[in-house]
């Protein structure tokens, strides 16, 4: 009764893998973009800000189709990736990770940007007067102080990646064992007669996993706070 | 050290030029809004001047004509901020050593152990800044700046956020730094007590310009600066030496005008001490006073009389050194006071409190 069927464990492991990699690849980019938006004023600031937020306001299907056009085997970027590196993104689990990363990107940037804006810029100038070059200051002062926001952003991105559906199914379709993540598996079950009980099991599983992720991030955030308050 | 800097910030414009001795403590004195913090931020490289030249210890840090603007991390100018600015995520020890790795090995003169000892930080090393008191935070901030081996140490009102007890504690530490470590210090303050106790040299700022610059003793004894130094604070700063202690708990301080008796100081005979005598604590008699509780009576002449406000008169007295007395215009009239007249200046011992006294023996690194 409680044992997972091979289909279920396959879907869960795939979702976890997609969520983990989408979080990992977007984290450094999100930190860089958040820093750019929070600390630099440049021509086109509003445009970059708008682009970053686009996935949040666009229908996921549109994002997925856009990715297909761009990263598909015949897409501008996709063809280049295949010709030079032999990497195929469309219709693979890597594509699912990319789709999740794009969809989660605005959430991540927002959380990290907020924490960066709360970092006292005067602490950074204090570090400069002590002889530390800007990159060192960022790594040893700004980054540790942003940690709560980075954790929040990473957690949001992970959750978003775990549950991403619209962009994923449009971009990489529904291939068992390759791109059939937990939400797509759930959707498939609701489309066939007699799939209700299987769908319900997946629903309960996803609730449990989401709760676990929340707890884990809360515990980490608490530890970080405790360290700062000494 | 040469400072010649200009900067416009909205409605405020700063334009200063002065030389600074390369040893001891130079006080940047002025009211809030006079441009003190703007100036030290430019010296640290945190704010870019519009134009001018800045050189410290023979190195040009900023020169608009030659396009030189050394980055803050390459200036080796330590900065103790008003609010401490300790790194909250690091231990006291990690805070202290933060800048040390960047100090060139061949140019180190600071012994970390000695600084930690001198600032009394040994017991705090494993703590986090959030658990420190205001005075402890400031001591750590001073130590952190020193351990980065600065060639110049800037202190921007480091005592402003502290209560009176903590203030005098930190001042004791700063005095020891001045005398034992020998790093030149620029000390920003709007408190005459702090300046009188600590500074050797003084630059008075008002409205973004330099009003006066010179030795602290000379500047603090100029009444024409009292609108800037604070009317009620006007007075003279005199250099004295501890002569001895009496059985009544008083300490005798010898100076060219005689002996000044003040509440007991725990100092060895021969120690140099600076005493600030406020003009409002000095009374005048035209005959040698008898049957009087006041112990400090100095014989001399009136050098100058300057009306101060509507009903008061500032007298410059020559009693071997220059003293100032502020009396009412009515007393001056009734006593028939005039420049050249012989007088006796009376100073209450208890008026010279601990805050008015400073140890004055700066090292010279010229």
């Amino acid at each position: 009764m409680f044992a997972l069927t091979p289909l279920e464990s396959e879907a869960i492991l795939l979702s976890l893998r997609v969520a983990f990699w989408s979080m990992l690849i977007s984290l450094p980019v999100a930190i860089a973009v958040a820093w750019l938006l929070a600390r630099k004023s440049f021509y086109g600031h509003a445009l970059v800000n708008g682009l970053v937020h686009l996935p949040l306001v666009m229908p996921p299907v549109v994002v997925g189709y856009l990715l297909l056009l761009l990263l598909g085997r015949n897409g501008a970027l996709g063809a280049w990736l295949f010709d030079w590196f032999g990497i195929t993104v469309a219709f693979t689990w890597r594509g699912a990770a990319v789709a999740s990363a794009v969809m989660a990107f605005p959430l991540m940037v927002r959380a990290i940007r907020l924490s960066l804006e709360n970092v006292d810029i005067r602490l950074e100038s204090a570090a400069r007067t002590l002889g530390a070059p800007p990159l060192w200051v960022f790594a040893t002062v700004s980054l540790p102080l942003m940690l709560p926001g980075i954790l929040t952003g990473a957690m949001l991105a992970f959750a978003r990646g775990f549950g991403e559906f619209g962009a994923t199914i449009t971009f990489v379709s529904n291939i068992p064992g390759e791109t059939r993540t937990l939400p797509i598996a759930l959707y498939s079950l609701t489309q066939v007669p007699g799939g209700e009980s299987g769908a319900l099991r997946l629903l309960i599983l996803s609730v449990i996993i989401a709760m676990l992720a929340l707890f884990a991030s809360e515990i980490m955030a608490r530890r970080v706070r405790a360290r700062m308050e000494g | 050290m040469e400072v010649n800097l200009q900067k416009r910030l909205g409605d405020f414009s700063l334009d200063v030029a002065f030389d600074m001795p390369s040893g001891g403590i130079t006080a940047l004195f002025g009211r809030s809004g006079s441009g003190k913090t703007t100036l030290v931020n430019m010296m640290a490289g945190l704010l870019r001047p519009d134009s001018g030249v800045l050189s410290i210890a023979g190195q040009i840090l900023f020169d608009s004509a030659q396009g030189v603007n050394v980055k803050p991390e390459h200036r080796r100018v330590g900065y103790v901020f008003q609010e401490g600015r300790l790194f909250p995520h690091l231990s006291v020890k990690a805070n202290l050593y933060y800048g040390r790795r960047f100090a060139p090995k061949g140019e180190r003169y600071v012994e970390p152990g000695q600084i930690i000892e001198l600032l009394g930080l040994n017991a705090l090393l494993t703590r986090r800044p959030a658990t420190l008191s205001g005075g402890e935070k400031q001591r750590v901030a001073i130590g952190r700046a020193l351990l980065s081996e600065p060639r110049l140490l800037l202190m921007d009102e480091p005592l402003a956020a502290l209560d009176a007890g903590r203030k005098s504690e930190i001042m004791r530490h700063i005095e020891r730094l001045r005398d034992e470590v020998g790093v030149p210090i620029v000390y920003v303050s709007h408190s005459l007590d702090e300046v009188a106790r600590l500074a050797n040299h003084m630059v008075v700022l008002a409205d973004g310009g330099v009003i006066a610059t010179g030795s602290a003793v000379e500047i603090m004894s100029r009444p024409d600066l009292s609108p800037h130094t604070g009317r009620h604070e006007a007075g003279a700063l005199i250099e004295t030496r501890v002569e001895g202690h009496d059985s009544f708990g008083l300490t005798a301080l010898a100076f060219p005008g005689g002996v000044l008796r003040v509440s007991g100081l725990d100092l060895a005979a021969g120690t140099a001490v600076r005493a600030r005598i406020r003009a409002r604590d000095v009374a005048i008699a035209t005959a040698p006073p008898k049957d009087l509780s006041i112990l400090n009576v100095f014989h001399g002449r009136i050098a100058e009389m300057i009306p101060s406000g509507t009903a008061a008169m500032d007298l410059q007295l020559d009693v071997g050194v220059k003293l100032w007395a502020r009396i009412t215009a009515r007393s001056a009239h009734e006593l028939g006071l005039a420049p050249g007249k012989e007088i006796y200046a009376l100073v209450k011992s208890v008026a010279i409190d601990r805050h008015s006294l400073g140890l004055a023996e700066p090292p010279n690194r010229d």
Side-chain angles (χ1 to χ4, degrees):
Chain A
M1 171 72 192
F2 293 111
L4 298 176
T5 67
L7 256 171
E8 284 167 353
S9 54
E10 190 185 87
I12 289 171
L13 286 177
L14 184 62
S15 259
L16 286 175
R17 185 169 14 145
V18 165
F20 175 76
W21 283 104
S22 82
M23 178 192 87
L24 208 67
I25 53 173
S26 53
L27 197 58
V29 187
I31 291 174
V33 170
W35 180 82
L36 206 68
L37 289 175
R39 287 289 164 80
K40 292 283 152 190
S41 56
F42 54 90
Y43 194 74
H45 188 277
L47 190 71
V48 172
N49 193 31
L51 273 175
V52 165
H53 282 89
L54 218 50
L56 205 60
V57 290
M58 270 198 326
V61 176
V62 174
V63 175
Y65 190 56
L66 209 68
L67 285 173
L68 193 58
L69 291 180
L70 209 68
L71 286 166
R73 187 65 70 79
N74 299 319
L77 224 66
W80 179 77
L81 274 176
F82 184 74
D83 291 346
W84 287 88
F85 303 100
I87 297 173
T88 315
V89 179
F91 306 110
T92 66
W93 74 270
R94 285 185 290 272
V98 169
S100 298
V102 170
M103 291 306 292
F105 198 65
L107 299 172
M108 204 175 208
V109 169
R110 282 176 79 89
I112 295 174
R113 181 179 172 179
L114 201 68
S115 69
L116 179 56
E117 279 166 352
N118 281 328
V119 170
D120 193 343
I121 217 162
R122 296 175 308 171
L123 289 177
E124 295 173 1
S125 15
R128 297 282 298 277
T129 66
L130 292 167
L135 258 177
W136 184 270
V137 174
F138 185 74
T140 60
V141 177
S142 325
L143 213 50
L145 292 174
M146 287 160 65
L147 213 52
I150 291 175
L151 278 177
T152 308
M155 201 281 291
L156 283 172
F158 187 85
R160 191 78 184 80
F162 193 77
E164 164 45 11
F165 176 79
T168 307
I169 200 165
T170 315
F171 182 34
V172 296
S173 183
N174 180 359
I175 305 163
E178 181 69 40
T179 64
R180 184 178 282 180
T181 58
L182 190 140
I184 294 176
L186 199 156
Y187 170 76
S188 306
L189 282 171
T190 60
Q191 298 302 300
V192 293
E196 289 86 356
S197 69
L200 197 64
R201 282 169 63 94
L202 282 180
L203 186 151
I204 293 168
L205 277 171
S206 61
V207 169
I208 291 172
I209 290 167
M211 290 302 279
L212 285 177
L214 266 178
F215 280 136
S217 83
E218 185 58 29
I219 288 168
M220 278 195 285
R222 235 180 254 175
R223 278 208 190 146
V224 168
R225 259 191 312 244
R227 250 189 69 197
M228 296 227 202
E229 280 150 22
Chain B
M1 299 184 205
E2 185 195 352
V3 181
N4 179 349
L5 297 169
Q6 293 78 40
K7 177 79 186 171
R8 268 199 92 80
L9 285 169
D11 284 344
F12 179 76
S13 82
L14 184 99
D15 185 354
V16 295
F18 56 89
D19 272 324
M20 239 166 46
S22 53
I25 296 184
T26 299
L28 277 184
F29 181 85
R31 293 185 179 168
S32 44
S34 58
K36 308 185 294 288
T37 300
T38 305
L39 181 55
V40 283
N41 280 342
M42 291 195 295
M43 292 167 100
L46 299 178
L47 185 68
R48 193 196 167 95
D50 294 337
S51 60
V53 177
L54 172 69
S55 73
I56 286 169
Q59 195 202 347
I60 292 174
L61 297 182
F62 180 82
D63 187 337
S64 53
Q66 291 181 41
V68 178
N69 184 22
V70 178
K71 290 179 179 156
E73 62 266 33
H74 297 140
R75 290 196 174 199
R76 300 190 57 208
V77 171
Y79 199 152
V80 178
F81 301 89
Q82 196 170 336
E83 350 63 88
R85 300 198 194 178
L86 300 181
F87 305 124
H89 57 299
L90 300 177
S91 69
V92 165
K93 189 173 179 190
N95 264 284
L96 285 170
Y97 282 88
Y98 185 88
R100 194 143 182 90
R101 67 175 69 232
F102 305 107
K105 293 236 164 27
E107 291 176 53
R108 294 187 175 180
Y109 63 92
V110 170
E111 176 53 51
Q114 185 209 347
I115 298 296
I116 290 169
E117 182 70 43
L118 197 139
L119 292 167
L121 298 174
N122 268 313
L124 307 177
L125 293 177
T126 57
R127 305 252 300 264
R128 298 245 171 222
T131 68
L132 302 179
S133 71
E136 288 167 341
K137 278 182 191 159
Q138 257 345 352
R139 268 152 51 200
V140 175
I142 294 170
R144 182 179 70 171
L146 282 173
L147 259 55
S148 73
E149 307 277 345
R151 288 180 299 192
L152 171 71
L153 185 60
L154 307 173
M155 299 181 128
D156 185 9
E157 309 222 14
L159 311 181
L162 306 179
D163 58 52
R166 293 288 159 208
K167 272 186 189 164
S168 100
E169 175 207 322
I170 304 283
M171 271 198 269
R172 237 183 5 257
H173 288 301
I174 298 174
E175 280 171 346
R176 290 189 60 188
L177 287 180
R178 179 192 64 193
D179 302 343
E180 291 173 28
V181 182
V183 58
I185 297 175
V186 169
Y187 187 94
V188 172
S189 180
H190 65 260
S191 154
L192 222 48
D193 280 337
E194 288 170 31
V195 174
R197 185 161 158 188
L198 298 172
N200 315 108
H201 196 78
M202 203 169 158
V203 176
V204 183
L205 293 179
D207 303 321
V210 174
I211 299 287
T213 144
S215 84
V217 172
E218 176 198 325
I219 298 282
M220 296 196 79
S221 304
R222 277 174 57 182
D224 58 311
L225 295 174
S226 76
H228 304 285
T229 52
R231 217 175 90 79
H232 294 288
E233 291 294 321
L237 194 62
I238 61 173
E239 314 257 30
T240 72
R241 225 159 251 290
V242 175
E243 196 179 67
H245 310 277
D246 70 15
S247 55
F248 294 98
L250 293 180
T251 296
L253 301 173
F255 72 105
V259 173
L260 180 69
R261 284 174 213 283
V262 299
S263 306
L265 296 174
D266 188 16
L267 296 171
T271 312
V273 172
R274 266 205 223 153
R276 192 154 66 87
I277 304 177
R278 293 181 190 81
R280 63 185 155 108
D281 294 329
V282 179
I284 299 293
T286 47
K290 280 190 294 186
D291 310 327
L292 199 67
S293 70
I294 292 179
L295 295 168
N296 297 312
V297 179
F298 308 112
H299 181 223
R301 282 174 194 284
I302 295 176
E304 210 180 329
M305 294 177 66
I306 303 162
S308 163
T310 48
M313 186 75 88
D314 281 338
L315 310 182
Q316 191 185 43
L317 313 173
D318 185 357
V319 297
V321 295
K322 281 180 179 155
L323 283 187
W324 286 89
R326 175 167 296 158
I327 59 173
T328 59
R330 178 180 175 140
S331 304
H333 175 75
E334 285 175 2
L335 290 171
L337 299 183
K341 190 172 169 78
E342 252 182 73
I343 48 86
Y344 295 85
L346 315 174
V347 183
K348 275 184 91 162
S349 296
V350 291
I352 319 281
D353 56 21
R354 190 68 189 84
H355 295 301
S356 316
L357 297 165
L359 299 176
E361 197 95 305
N364 218 324
R365 305 217 310 160
D366 284 86

